[in-house]
C-alpha cells in the first residue's frame, strides 16, 4: 500500500513539474491531437488568443481558436507536417491574434512510427515584419534617389 501511494505521489509530482515547465514556455504553444483538437495550451497561448481560461481551449479545433475560422488556414503547416512526419513552419498574418506569427508544427511519433500528437508554437513576428517593411521602403527610396542622381 505504501509503495503504491509513493508511486502515485511521484507520478503526480512529475506531472505537476511538466505542467509548470510547459506553462513557463514564453512561446504560445498548443499540444494537439491528430484531429487538430487542443489537448493542452500554455499560458502564453491563452494570452495570445485573448483568453483568460485555458480550459476554454481544450477539445476545440486549433483553427477555430487561432484563426477564428471554420476550417484550417490555407497556409497552415499542420497537414504538411503530418504527411511528411517532419516539422514545418509557415508565416501567417493573423488578425484574430493581432499580428503576424511564425507557426511551427512538429509531429510527435507514437510507437508505430506515425504521429499521434502535434506540438504547435506560434511566435509573434509582427515587429520583425514591420521592421522588414520599413527597411524595404527605405531601400526603395534610396534606390530611386540614386537613379535620379540625388546621390
Amino acid at each position: 500500500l505504501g509503495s503504491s501511494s509513493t508511486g502515485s505521489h511521484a507520478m503526480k509530482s512529475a506531472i505537476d513539474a511538466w505542467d509548470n515547465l510547459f506553462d513557463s514556455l514564453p512561446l504560445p504553444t498548443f499540444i494537439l491531437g491528430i484531429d487538430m483538437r487542443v489537448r493542452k495550451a500554455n499560458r502564453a497561448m491563452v494570452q495570445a488568443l485573448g483568453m483568460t481560461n485555458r480550459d476554454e481551449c481544450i477539445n476545440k479545433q486549433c483553427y477555430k481558436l487561432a484563426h477564428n475560422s471554420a476550417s484550417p488556414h490555407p497556409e497552415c503547416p499542420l497537414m504538411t507536417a503530418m504527411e511528411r512526419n517532419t516539422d514545418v513552419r509557415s508565416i501567417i498574418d493573423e488578425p484574430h491574434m493581432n499580428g503576424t506569427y511564425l507557426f511551427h508544427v512538429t509531429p510527435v511519433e507514437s510507437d508505430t512510427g506515425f504521429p499521434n500528437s502535434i506540438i504547435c508554437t506560434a511566435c509573434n513576428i509582427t515587429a520583425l515584419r514591420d521592421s522588414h517593411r520599413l527597411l524595404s521602403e527605405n531601400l526603395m527610396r534610396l534606390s530611386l534617389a540614386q537613379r535620379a542622381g540625388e546621390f
Side-chain angles (χ1 to χ4, degrees):
L1 186 65
S3 65
S4 175
S5 174
T6 303
S8 63
H9 177 70
M11 178 63 84
K12 179 167 178 8
S13 292
I15 290 170
D16 289 347
W18 187 90
D19 283 343
N20 187 48
L21 177 68
F22 180 69
D23 221 29
S24 298
L25 294 172
L27 283 177
T29 305
F30 278 143
I31 296 179
L32 306 168
I34 58 172
D35 58 358
M36 301 178 121
R37 290 187 182 274
V38 175
R39 292 184 180 166
K40 196 158 190 67
N42 72 351
R43 184 179 323 134
M45 181 60 86
V46 172
Q47 290 171 348
L49 294 171
M51 302 172 94
T52 56
N53 184 350
R54 80 182 71 239
D55 292 337
E56 296 175 60
C57 299
I58 305 305
N59 289 321
K60 298 223 172 54
Q61 284 101 352
C62 57
Y63 50 84
K64 287 184 179 178
L65 296 169
H67 312 297
N68 196 28
S69 66
S71 60
H73 192 282
E75 300 297 317
C76 176
L78 193 142
M79 295 311 294
T80 303
M82 294 287 290
E83 290 167 6
R84 297 181 186 166
N85 199 16
T86 189
D87 62 319
V88 179
R89 297 171 191 87
S90 183
I91 295 173
I92 300 175
D93 285 316
E94 191 44 68
H96 182 65
M97 293 174 66
N98 299 313
T100 299
Y101 285 80
L102 172 63
F103 285 89
H104 186 165
V105 176
T106 304
V108 179
E109 284 187 20
S110 67
D111 294 342
T112 64
F114 295 102
N116 65 356
S117 59
I118 298 102
I119 298 171
C120 175
T121 60
C123 182
N124 188 335
I125 60 167
T126 305
L128 181 62
R129 179 209 57 199
D130 292 347
S131 295
H132 181 266
R133 284 184 183 160
L134 182 60
L135 179 60
S136 294
E137 289 169 6
N138 287 335
L139 287 172
M140 181 64 78
R141 283 189 202 101
L142 178 62
S143 176
L144 290 173
Q146 286 176 333
R147 288 184 189 154
E150 295 176 14
F151 279 95

